[in-house]
Amino acid sequence: MRKFALVGNPNSGKTTLFNSLTGSTAHVGNWPGVTVDKKVGVYKKASEQVEIVDLPGIYSLSPYTSEEVISRNYILDEKPECVINIVDVTNLERNLYLTTQIMEIDVPVVVALNMMDMLERQGDKIDEKQLEKRLGVPVIKISAFKSEGLDELMDRAIEFSKNDRKGVSVLEGGELEHLIGDVRIALEGQGVDNSLFHAVKLVENDEIEMQMHPQTVKMVDDFKKTFDSEVFGSDIDALVADARYKHISKYYSPLLVRSNKGIKFSKSDKADRVLTNKWVGIPIFLVILFGIFHLTFSENFLWLGSIFNLPTIESLNLPDTFWTSLLACVYDGVIYSPGVILFNLMELLTSTLFEYLGGLIESLGASSWVIGLFNDGIFAGLGGILSFIPQIVFLLLLISILEDSGYMARVAFILDKLFRKFGVSGRAFIPMIMGFGCSVPAMINTRTLADDREKIMTLRVIPFFTCGAKVPILVAVAGAIVSACGFGNADIITYSMYVLGLAVAVISIILMRSTTQKGEIAPFIMELPAYHAPSFKNLMIHMWDKAKHYIEKAFTIILFSTILIWFLSNFGWDWKMCEIDSSILASIGKFMQPIFTPLGFGSQLGTYGWVFVVAAITGLIAKENVIATFATLAGCIGATLIATEDGAFEVAEIIRYIASDINVSAYSLWPAMISFIVFNMTTIPCFASVATARGELKKGTAKWTILFWVLTSYMTSTIVYLVLSWWWTSFIVIGIAILSAICIKIHNKRAKVK
Ligand code: GDP
Ligand code: MG
C-alpha cells in the first residue's frame, strides 16, 4: 500500500484533513500542539488504497521538542511515497517557510493550500497555478473543514508519487549555495541519502544533524573557512532562515492578492481585546468555568427553584407512573441543570433495565448466589458507572466547545503571566486543561513542553485537574454529604473540590520549583488561532470518543473489578459464602483501616469503615471503581443488614449506617467524607496514567512521581480533615507552612553560597 504523510505547521488543519480522508475520529483542537504522536489511517476512495499518516505539527525541520522530532524522523526514515504539505493560506509566508525545507528532501511533495474557505470569506485570492509553477510541485486548493478539493488532492498526489523527485533548495545564489553544494557533494561521496537536505542542515549547525554525522562536522567547518568568514559567522541558521524568507516574499507572497478587508480589525481581534484583556480576561474565564460547572452539576438551575416558589413533585400528588418518574428527572421543586437531567434520565434507564434483567434471572430459577452476584454485584456496579456517562460527556462537550472555538488558546495566553509567578509557562495550561477530560492524553500532551523540568512538573500535577472518571465520586459523595449528613450544597461542594484541586496543583508547582525542579521558566510563544464556530462534526467526534472510552472501561476493567469485589465480599477465607463482615474483603479492609485514620476515614469509622478504605484502594486501578465498589458493597451490606428503600443513595446509606454503628450524628461525618473526596482526587489517578507517566518520563523520575502522588494525597487529605474537624488546627498548618517556606529559603541560600 502507498504511504502518504501529512506534514504542516501546527493548527494548519492536518488532523481535520486526516479525519476527512480516512473517516477517523482523531482529536482536533483549535490550538497548536494537539497531535503529539503519529496516527495512521487508510484512504479508500481512490483506485488503490493509500495509508495516510498524520504527524505532529512543525514550524521547521530543525525541531526543538520531542513531538517535532517524531515528524522529522518520520519523513526521513520511513520514506513515505509522498508528503502532503498542508499550508494554511491565511498564514502563507510562515507556512511556506516549512515548505521550502521539505522541498529539499528527495521525496514527492504536494502542497495542499488549506483554509481556502476562510481566504475566500476575507475576499482574498491566490494564484495557485503560478505558485505551482514556481514551486515545481503540484499545488491544490482545499478546505479540510468543508471537505472541498480532497479528491483532486489525492488524485494528484497519487499520480505525482509514482515518480521519484530530487530535492531542490531555494537557497540559491551567492556563497551559501556554493557552501551547500560542496557539503552535498561530500555527503554524496559518503553515500548519504537526501544529501541536499542533510547538507543544508549541517551548514545550519543543526544539532541533531551534527550528532548524526560527527565526522562531517569538522569538514563542514573547514569548508566554511575557505569562504569569507564574515558571512558565515555564528548566526548561520539565522542567515539561512533569512534567505528563505527573502525568497518567499519575493516569489510567492505576491501571488496572494489581499482585498482591503484584511486591514481592518477582524472580528477575532475585536473579541480578543476583551477576552485577553489584562483586567477582565481572568475574571471572564472564571465566570465561564463556573457556568460550565453550573450547567453540569447544579440541582437548582439558574436558581429558578429559589426565585419562584415551585411545588415539589410529592405535593402535586401525581399518580405513580412512568411519566411521573420522567418528570422527576427534570424537576422537583427546583429545575435541574442539563447535566443533572442527563444523569437522572440515564439512571432511570439503567435501573429499569437492570431491574428487568434481575427479575428475568430470578424467574429462571437461578441459585441465590447467582442472583446476588448479578443484582448486588454486576448490575449495581455497572449501573453506578453507566448512569454517569451522559453527564461526564456533557461536561467534556462544554470544554471541547471552548477548545475548538480557539478560546482555550487565549486562556493559556492570559494565564501565562500568572503561571510564571508559580513557575511554569502558559503553555503548560493546555495539558492541564486536558486533564479535566482524562489524564492519559493530557500527560502525552506534555511532550509539547520544550523544557524538561516544566514537563515533569506539569505531568505530576495533571491528576489534580479532576478528570471525568472522578466526576461520579464528586457527585455521589457530595450528594451523600448533603442527604445523609445534611451539610452544604452539592454543586458548591463540587465546585470547591475542583478549586481545591487547582490549589494543590499550584502549591505543588511552587514547591517543586523551589526544591527539586529549580531553573528558568521557558519562554512562551504560541500563535493565537482565529476564533471560529466549533464544528458540529468535531464536537460529535469528541463526545463519541469519550463516551466510547468510558463504556469500554465499564465493560472491561470495572466489570472485572466489581465481580472480584462481590466475590471477595461474599466469601470468607475458607471459600464459603459468609456474612460480609467476616469476608475476605472485610478482613483486608480492616487490616488497612488504621493507615487512613489520620485522614478521617480509618479506624474511627468502626465496623464498616473499611468500605471507604477498600473503595479508595480499588480506585487506584481506575477511578470509576470507587463508585462501583460502593454500589456493590452497599448492595451486599443492604442485603444483609440495612433495609434500603432504593439503591439510589448508596454512599448516603453507608454513611447513615456507619453513624448509627459508632453512635455519632451523621452530620459529624462530613469532614471525613470531604477528606475522602480529596484523597481520591489527588492520589494516583489510575493504572493507565501510571503506565503513561512511565512512558513519558525517565525511569527515576517516574518512580518519584508515583511517590509524589501518594504523599500529596495523604498529606492533603490529612490537612483537610484536621482543619475541617477542628478549625483551630488551621493555625498549626499555616505555622508549619511558613516554617517550611523559611527552611527552603535558607537551604537554597546556603546552596547558592556553596
Ligand atoms: P492540526 O494542528 O494541523 O492537526 O490542525 P487541526 O486539524 O487540529 O485544525 C486546527 C483548527 O483549524 C481546527 O479548529 C479546525 O476546525 C480548523 N480548520 C481545519 N481546516 C480548516 C479549513 O479548511 N477551514 C477552516 N475555516 N478551518 C479549518
Ligand atoms: Mg493535529
Side-chain angles (χ1 to χ4, degrees), residues 26 84 132 300 346 487 519 604 624 736:
I84 298 182
E132 179 166 323
N300 191 354
M346 189 67 178
F487 172 83
Q604 62 268 68
E624 290 93 334
I736 294 175

Side-chain angles (χ1 to χ4, degrees), residues 38 49 57 134 172 231 238 244 292 295 326 356 384 386 392 419 426 446 454 473 488 531 566 577 592 614 704 714:
K38 58 172 201 267
Q49 299 198 340
R134 294 191 185 170
E172 48 203 8
V231 182
R244 289 188 200 280
I292 288 183
L295 277 168
L326 205 59
Y356 172 75
L386 294 178
I392 300 172
F419 270 41
T446 57
E454 187 169 21
I473 306 177
Y531 285 105
W566 187 85
M577 263 187 109
M592 316 268 294
V614 169
W704 286 113
Y714 199 82

Side-chain angles (χ1 to χ4, degrees), residues 596 601 611-621 623 626 676 679-680 683:
F596 293 89
F601 52 95
V611 170
F612 288 97
V613 174
V614 169
I617 292 170
T618 53
L620 302 182
I621 302 169
K623 280 288 167 284
V626 176
F676 178 76
F679 178 81
N680 281 293
T683 197

Side-chain angles (χ1 to χ4, degrees), residues 337-539:
S337 66
V340 175
I341 295 175
L342 284 172
F343 170 81
N344 290 339
L345 289 174
M346 189 67 178
E347 194 180 35
L348 183 65
L349 184 76
T350 50
S351 62
T352 315
L353 179 71
F354 287 147
E355 228 165 79
Y356 172 75
L357 288 178
L360 203 67
I361 291 171
E362 253 170 83
S363 70
L364 289 176
S367 57
S368 71
W369 74 268
V370 176
I371 296 174
L373 170 64
F374 274 94
N375 281 342
D376 307 328
I378 297 177
F379 293 158
L382 276 186
I385 295 312
L386 294 178
S387 331
F388 279 101
I389 291 178
Q391 192 178 21
I392 300 172
V393 170
F394 180 72
L395 172 70
L396 299 179
L397 169 74
L398 297 179
I399 294 177
S400 306
I401 292 176
L402 295 191
E403 288 178 7
D404 203 29
S405 63
Y407 179 66
M408 282 304 190
R410 268 68 183 188
V411 178
F413 206 73
I414 49 178
L415 287 178
D416 182 54
K417 222 166 152 194
L418 186 71
F419 270 41
R420 258 163 215 287
K421 294 211 175 93
F422 305 138
V424 286
S425 74
R427 187 70 189 79
F429 170 75
I430 283 173
M432 287 177 187
I433 200 95
M434 287 176 82
F436 280 134
C438 175
S439 295
V440 171
M443 286 179 181
I444 295 174
N445 194 273
T446 57
R447 285 184 199 170
T448 56
L449 300 170
D451 178 57
D452 241 13
R453 292 170 189 280
E454 187 169 21
K455 174 176 169 152
I456 294 171
M457 290 191 293
T458 309
L459 191 141
R460 283 182 181 166
V461 302
I462 280 173
F464 308 151
F465 293 79
T466 313
C467 78
K470 292 176 187 166
V471 169
I473 306 177
L474 274 171
V475 175
V477 181
I481 291 173
V482 177
S483 72
C485 309
F487 172 83
N489 177 313
D491 64 331
I492 294 190
I493 295 178
T494 316
Y495 190 63
S496 351
M497 290 295 107
Y498 271 88
V499 174
L500 183 77
L502 301 187
V504 175
V506 168
I507 294 170
S508 321
I509 289 176
I510 295 175
L511 277 178
M512 282 189 269
R513 256 305 180 214
S514 50
T515 53
T516 59
Q517 308 290 333
K518 275 183 237 164
E520 290 287 304
I521 305 169
F524 175 50
I525 311 160
M526 185 169 83
E527 57 169 319
L528 293 183
Y531 285 105
H532 64 74
S535 113
F536 180 75
K537 190 174 139 206
N538 276 347
L539 292 179

Side-chain angles (χ1 to χ4, degrees), residues 9-16 28-30 35 114-115 117-118 143-145 404 532 538:
N9 280 192
N11 220 33
S12 59
K14 295 175 299 302
T15 305
T16 310
V28 175
N30 196 6
T35 311
N114 191 29
M115 314 253 179
D117 57 315
M118 280 234 263
S143 165
F145 192 59
D404 203 29
H532 64 74
N538 276 347

